Amino acid sequence: MTADAFLLYGTHAVEVEPVRLRAGALTADFVNGNLRNIRQGGTEVLRAIAYIVRDRDWGTYEPALTNLAIEQDAEAFSVSYSASCQAPDGSRLGFRATIKSSADGQLVFDVSARPDSDFETNRCGFCILHPIAGLAGSLVTVEHTDGSVVATRLPELIDPWQPFKDLRAITHEVRAGVTAECRMEGDAFEMEDQRNWSDASYKTYVRPLALPWPYVLSAGKPFRQTISLRVEGGGKVPPAAATAEPIRVTLGQAGPVLPDVGIIIYPDEVEAALSKLSVLSELGPQQLMFHFDPTRGHGLDALRSYARLAAAYPARTTLECVIAGDGDLDVELSGVADRVRKAGLKLSAIAVSPSVDRQSTPPGSAWPQCPPLEDVYAAARRAFPDTRLGGGMFSYFTELNRKRVPADPLDFVTHCTCPIVHAADDLSVMQSLEVLPFITASARAIFGTKPYRIGPSTIAMRQNPYGGATKANPDSQRIAMADRDPRHAGLFGAAWTIGYAARLAPAGLEMLTLCSFTGPFGVLALSDEPVEEGTRRPIFHAVKGLCELAGHAHMAATTTDETRVLGLAGRAQTGKIIVWLANLTPVDVPVDVSGLGSDQGFLKIWDGRTSRQIQRDASGRDRLVMTPYAIVRIG
């Protein structure tokens, strides 16, 4: 990796380059012991086949690979390796893996494991990921463990639970004339709709969630699992995409108004924000969201500090209020209202959620004690009669989909997302953007036209609904469920932010929050980064651009390859159009923007490093090369 690694990723740590494997028309990328991007004739068949070991908090172990051997020719490949995972208590799980594929469309991934001592885990075994692009809502054939075979469909709207259980095999159409059967042996498998967590896949995994977890793998007891993929048919192979051709950007019709942009503020970040009011004003958020959690010691002092910031930076304000919900709701919420009045904090809105709802309730688990949400919202309305009231989940769409709040008492519904719940590699995080339209469509199917907010949504996980805590990340690695993610500080984070807003723009959100102002989720550099503390991170420019677009009419901005470049456009009442583009890849991408029109004269762009004008070539076409994870402003 070049010296630009920190600029791109906020860390000098780099990902291992995948090994491209090929057996005839079948290709796959071998990464850290697992297979990604499995394709036949260039068409994605499976997003991944991975052998996963998780700890009691659903964190994923990174196994140490030894004795790796890879053999391949044009017609076949084989891979073998040994691996081990060591738990904090010193217990160790070792396993041996072999992967073989041939030109006839067969692929077999086999793992035999044996723990050296009793080994505690929430999951140990294969996960198979089917992509969502082109497959959501499509016909599949499911074979169950009892031998029964059912023709059914993958869910179009996001299924809150498991669409398929007791799985032995699933078959889908790759393209016309080509089918793929994925067969699973060695344990009981079921499928969940990973779009709940903004993963761009349907996941078939080992061991039903209805069984107890964590569970213990007994010392010395071997167990084996095998995944077999068979691709059949002679359908026409689509022509390979011409990646050297510029991606074309075109504008379509006007749509809903683009949302207000908010930033989340925590009590310990107020003083830093007050010291940088000019920078906050330059950023220009329309809303300040104040996090308030009395169950974690927040009280009158926190509200007073919020009041100081609200007075210094006039904007709409929302209190994200966690309540204990373990006593008299009127007493608790009127107490919050009394402290808000004493603090002098003027609120535009309050969103309320019981603390217990920050934790997920997986399938098969008992729902925790919680007062009826109708009672919670009624008490909040009595305590704040003149303030807009929101509800939903302060965690993720998963929890909102599984516990659908009563919307009638609410003025708006809200939830967050996080792209590193299950995987934290660069590709998976960017692919999570594909899911956002499915999330908003599913939310609209539940709540209709109720005003709708999303956020705070950040790459890093601000709280863990699935375990005791988020994962510490002192070495700035790419870690699932981490409380800090280095890419937030790099161009990667800026591109992800523009891409996030672009995918959500057609949904007509009321408010979108994708960062804080300072701190690990903030737009300014921290003291432990190799730049001056307080320097504007690349995400600053992305969020500032979104703030400037708030209130504009969304203009459909489509690209010829939205896996590589996404576009977001807004039209002001004056008729002026502003377009933002984001390169979602680690390579240069040529872009043709002549479809945006030439009536505005020269087009200014910003790619995270320089500001310049696009020069027109002799043919009159406007072209530029977007460098890795660049964001570009046109107009």
Side-chain angles (χ1 to χ4, degrees):
M1 179 61 68
T2 68
D4 285 335
F6 182 83
L7 174 65
L8 295 179
Y9 303 108
T11 178
H12 295 293
V14 297
E15 290 188 322
V16 175
E17 288 290 329
V19 177
R20 175 60 55 87
L21 304 172
R22 180 179 298 277
L26 192 72
T27 61
D29 290 339
F30 180 75
V31 186
N32 296 331
N34 297 313
L35 296 181
R36 294 288 305 268
N37 196 28
I38 302 164
R39 294 177 176 266
Q40 198 271 353
T43 304
E44 188 174 27
V45 178
L46 295 176
R47 188 138 282 184
I49 304 176
Y51 193 82
I52 301 295
V53 184
R54 296 196 187 276
D55 63 23
R56 66 178 297 113
D57 289 322
W58 294 102
T60 303
Y61 287 103
E62 289 289 338
L65 272 59
T66 57
N67 303 318
L68 174 62
I70 300 176
E71 297 180 3
Q72 63 176 321
D73 56 36
E75 300 300 312
F77 64 77
S78 66
V79 179
S80 62
Y81 63 89
S82 299
S84 64
C85 300
Q86 185 163 327
D89 65 2
S91 59
R92 178 182 171 277
L93 173 73
F95 55 93
R96 179 69 179 170
T98 60
I99 308 171
K100 294 183 179 180
S101 184
S102 53
D104 61 359
Q106 307 287 320
L107 185 152
V108 178
F109 195 155
D110 180 84
V111 173
S112 296
R114 182 194 301 266
D116 293 348
S117 55
D118 286 355
F119 188 88
E120 184 183 59
T121 181
N122 275 3
R123 176 172 296 154
C124 180
F126 279 109
C127 290
I128 302 98
L129 306 184
H130 282 77
I132 59 172
L135 281 188
S138 67
L139 288 167
V140 294
T141 301
V142 170
E143 180 181 333
H144 294 288
T145 53
D146 63 3
S148 62
V149 178
V150 179
T152 183
R153 290 183 181 272
L154 290 166
E156 176 71 32
L157 297 176
I158 300 174
D159 196 318
W161 308 109
Q162 300 100 318
F164 310 132
K165 296 182 179 181
D166 300 318
L167 282 172
R168 182 61 64 223
I170 182 168
T171 302
H172 74 278
E173 186 177 63
V174 176
R175 59 179 181 274
V178 179
T179 61
E181 179 197 74
C182 184
R183 184 164 294 274
M184 298 144 280
E185 304 285 350
D187 209 325
F189 287 78
E190 62 188 21
M191 176 185 281
E192 68 186 9
D193 196 335
Q194 274 209 133
R195 297 176 297 171
N196 277 293
W197 295 272
S198 73
D199 295 74
S201 58
Y202 302 100
K203 180 171 72 176
T204 302
Y205 55 91
V206 75
R207 188 173 167 95
L209 285 172
L211 295 175
W213 48 267
Y215 59 100
V216 174
L217 302 173
S218 300
K221 184 177 180 179
F223 60 98
R224 179 180 179 182
Q225 296 171 17
T226 305
I227 305 300
S228 302
L229 176 67
R230 184 174 77 241
V231 183
E232 294 183 320
K236 183 179 179 181
V237 176
T243 56
E245 284 294 311
I247 290 175
R248 296 184 301 280
V249 185
T250 55
L251 291 180
Q253 297 299 311
V257 172
L258 290 169
D260 278 1
V261 174
I263 59 170
I264 182 73
I265 303 287
Y266 295 91
D268 60 355
E269 296 171 356
V270 172
E271 292 303 323
L274 286 168
S275 70
K276 296 182 180 297
L277 282 175
S278 63
V279 181
L280 180 60
S281 296
E282 180 187 350
L283 184 68
Q286 286 78 33
Q287 301 247 10
L288 299 178
M289 181 185 294
F290 298 129
H291 181 71
F292 184 68
D293 185 358
T295 71
R296 297 183 179 175
H298 299 171
L300 182 59
D301 287 345
L303 294 171
R304 282 175 171 157
S305 68
Y306 290 152
R308 291 170 57 214
L309 181 57
Y313 180 79
R316 288 182 284 278
T317 56
T318 296
L319 193 68
E320 184 187 55
C321 181
V322 178
I323 66 167
D326 55 2
D328 187 301
L329 293 171
D330 282 311
V331 170
E332 182 174 10
L333 281 157
S334 63
V336 173
D338 184 58
R339 290 194 292 274
V340 167
R341 284 190 293 271
K342 286 181 178 178
L345 176 59
K346 305 300 182 182
L347 292 178
S348 307
I350 181 171
V352 176
S353 179
S355 180
V356 70
D357 276 348
R358 290 185 292 186
Q359 291 303 115
S360 183
T361 302
S365 301
W367 287 87
Q369 290 294 316
C370 181
L373 292 179
E374 291 88 348
D375 295 349
V376 172
Y377 300 152
R381 183 70 75 187
R382 288 190 290 269
F384 294 90
D386 302 319
T387 304
R388 295 186 73 226
L389 175 63
M393 294 291 159
F394 295 166
S395 51
Y396 308 128
F397 178 73
T398 317
E399 288 66 54
L400 183 62
N401 202 15
R402 290 177 173 173
K403 185 175 182 178
R404 300 179 177 186
V405 304
D408 287 346
L410 300 175
D411 296 308
F412 61 89
V413 174
T414 185
H415 67 83
C416 309
T417 71
C418 176
I420 61 167
V421 173
H422 295 112
D425 60 278
D426 295 339
L427 180 59
S428 293
V429 172
M430 281 301 184
Q431 285 177 334
S432 70
L433 300 177
E434 297 175 18
V435 186
L436 298 175
F438 290 98
I439 288 178
T440 55
S442 299
R444 289 295 190 202
I446 301 168
F447 300 109
T449 58
K450 178 71 64 175
Y452 180 18
R453 299 181 176 191
I454 290 181
S457 297
T458 56
I459 297 177
M461 178 179 269
R462 65 178 190 138
Q463 58 112 12
N464 183 2
Y466 316 109
T470 54
K471 301 294 181 184
N473 190 12
D475 298 322
S476 294
Q477 301 295 312
R478 295 163 173 84
I479 299 173
M481 297 188 177
D483 59 359
R484 293 181 61 171
D485 192 287
R487 290 164 295 191
H488 183 89
L491 277 171
F492 184 103
W496 183 83
T497 298
I498 293 294
Y500 196 107
R503 287 292 195 184
L504 288 181
L509 296 182
E510 176 179 279
M511 177 176 166
L512 177 61
T513 303
L514 296 174
C515 66
S516 60
F517 182 57
T518 60
F521 307 113
V523 296
L524 304 179
L526 300 176
S527 60
D528 58 356
E529 297 174 27
V531 294
E532 183 179 351
E533 183 178 3
T535 298
R536 293 161 179 77
R537 290 168 164 169
I539 194 175
F540 177 96
H541 305 283
V543 175
K544 179 182 177 183
L546 300 183
C547 294
E548 292 171 347
L549 284 177
H552 286 48
H554 171 237
M555 300 287 293
T558 59
T559 75
T560 50
D561 188 347
E562 293 191 337
T563 67
R564 292 193 287 160
V565 174
L566 281 175
L568 171 67
R571 184 180 65 196
Q573 290 184 349
T574 61
K576 180 181 180 181
I577 295 174
I578 296 174
V579 180
W580 281 88
L581 302 176
N583 178 0
L584 309 181
T585 77
V587 298
D588 289 353
V589 177
V591 179
D592 177 356
V593 296
S594 58
L596 302 182
S598 58
D599 58 335
Q600 300 178 48
F602 287 102
L603 305 176
K604 291 189 72 173
I605 69 169
W606 182 84
D607 65 5
R609 297 173 239 202
T610 60
S611 179
R612 64 187 188 277
Q613 291 181 334
I614 302 172
Q615 299 299 320
R616 301 165 191 260
D617 62 24
S619 66
R621 296 165 68 88
D622 294 314
R623 294 189 178 184
L624 64 144
V625 174
M626 294 187 68
T627 52
Y629 303 118
I631 59 174
V632 171
R633 183 186 188 276
I634 302 172

